[in-house]
Amino acid sequence: MPNSWIDFLPSLLKGAEITVLVAFFSSILAIIVSFIAGLLRLSKLWIVRTFAAIYVEIFRGTSLLVQLFWLYFALPFIGIELPKMLAAILAIGLNFGAYGSEIVRSAVLAVPKGQTEAAIALNMKPWKRLTYVILPQASLQMLPSFGNQMVELIKSTSLVYFITMADLTYQAMVLRNNYISFTTEILVLLLLMYFVIATLVSIAVQLLERKLTTGRL
């Protein structure tokens, strides 16, 4: 029997490690997918735009939990069995990538057309215009929204509990089931640990935004 709430920290920290790993790799996937899908939705080819739009609408229009269940529980029926970690990363990354694609698309469209016209006048190739002119300006507008997305992503990692991944929420529920009398303390610790992780991410995004905007008008 634990003597105080401090005795719960080792188990919760072990779960927090899994939570941070899932959040980290899911964030990388989400950002990559956001840029790819967001830029594809701006393509001049209708079939490319349609393909990207279908992906976005499917992942935005269905529950993340259902997507997680599909990847982990349904795919084995057609011969594809994913490890828990990979299923979690794919579900969360693809889900938030769909939302992030709209951030990328709107930010690119918000760049003044004069910037693109100036790049064309300088005879810059399309990929150079995108890399050196459009994206650097659009990225500054994306940062606050992506920061909010990352905080939401961290909170969404708690859903991996439903595929029995030993994340922060899973460890807290195991402790709660074993020590019912300490339910309040365990849940308070759970809340505080998610809050700390999310706050650190918010601070990191703010510092990055401040650094990138230094010296700009």
Side-chain angles (χ1 to χ4, degrees):
M1 192 72 176
N3 296 317
S4 70
W5 59 270
I6 296 177
D7 295 328
F8 299 124
L9 281 178
S11 294
L12 292 175
L13 288 173
K14 188 184 295 184
E17 184 180 347
I18 299 297
T19 293
V20 170
L21 280 174
V22 173
F24 177 74
F25 289 110
S26 297
S27 298
I28 293 174
L29 177 60
I31 290 170
I32 293 171
V33 172
S34 294
F35 275 89
I36 293 173
L39 295 176
L40 288 180
R41 295 201 69 185
L42 296 172
S43 172
K44 293 179 180 179
L45 301 174
W46 70 268
I47 191 168
V48 174
R49 293 197 308 272
T50 302
F51 176 78
I54 290 172
Y55 153 71
V56 170
E57 293 306 319
I58 287 175
F59 277 87
R60 288 200 310 170
T62 56
S63 165
L64 173 55
L65 183 58
V66 173
Q67 293 161 18
L68 185 60
F69 283 168
W70 262 93
L71 286 172
Y72 188 68
F73 293 118
L75 287 186
F77 286 99
I78 59 172
I80 303 173
E81 192 165 347
L82 301 177
K84 292 178 183 179
M85 178 68 79
L86 181 57
I89 291 169
L90 284 175
I92 298 171
L94 291 173
N95 181 275
F96 279 86
Y99 286 95
S101 69
E102 288 299 294
I103 296 173
V104 173
R105 188 177 70 88
S106 59
V108 169
L109 290 175
V111 174
K113 289 184 178 180
Q115 299 290 320
T116 303
E117 292 168 356
I120 294 173
L122 292 171
N123 202 29
M124 294 179 73
K125 294 181 180 180
W127 69 269
K128 282 192 172 182
R129 293 201 300 267
L130 183 66
T131 305
Y132 296 110
V133 178
I134 298 172
L135 284 183
Q137 297 181 68
S139 295
L140 292 176
Q141 299 183 47
M142 297 177 201
L143 266 179
S145 297
F146 268 127
N148 291 333
Q149 285 282 90
M150 292 305 104
V151 171
E152 289 298 319
L153 185 150
I154 289 166
K155 292 187 286 187
S156 295
T157 60
S158 61
L159 293 177
V160 303
Y161 160 77
F162 290 101
I163 59 170
T164 66
M165 272 193 75
D167 73 317
L168 185 53
T169 300
Y170 180 89
Q171 295 287 7
M173 293 303 102
V174 169
L175 289 172
R176 176 185 172 276
N177 291 336
N178 291 335
Y179 307 105
I180 297 294
S181 59
F182 285 91
T183 295
T184 301
E185 290 87 345
I186 293 168
L187 293 181
V188 168
L189 281 173
L190 178 65
L191 184 149
L192 288 175
M193 292 181 80
Y194 273 114
F195 176 76
V196 168
I197 296 170
T199 301
L200 289 175
V201 170
S202 295
I203 292 172
V205 172
Q206 289 171 12
L207 291 174
L208 179 60
E209 186 178 1
R210 195 174 302 165
K211 183 177 181 179
L212 292 177
T213 54
T214 299
R216 290 177 178 266
L217 295 176

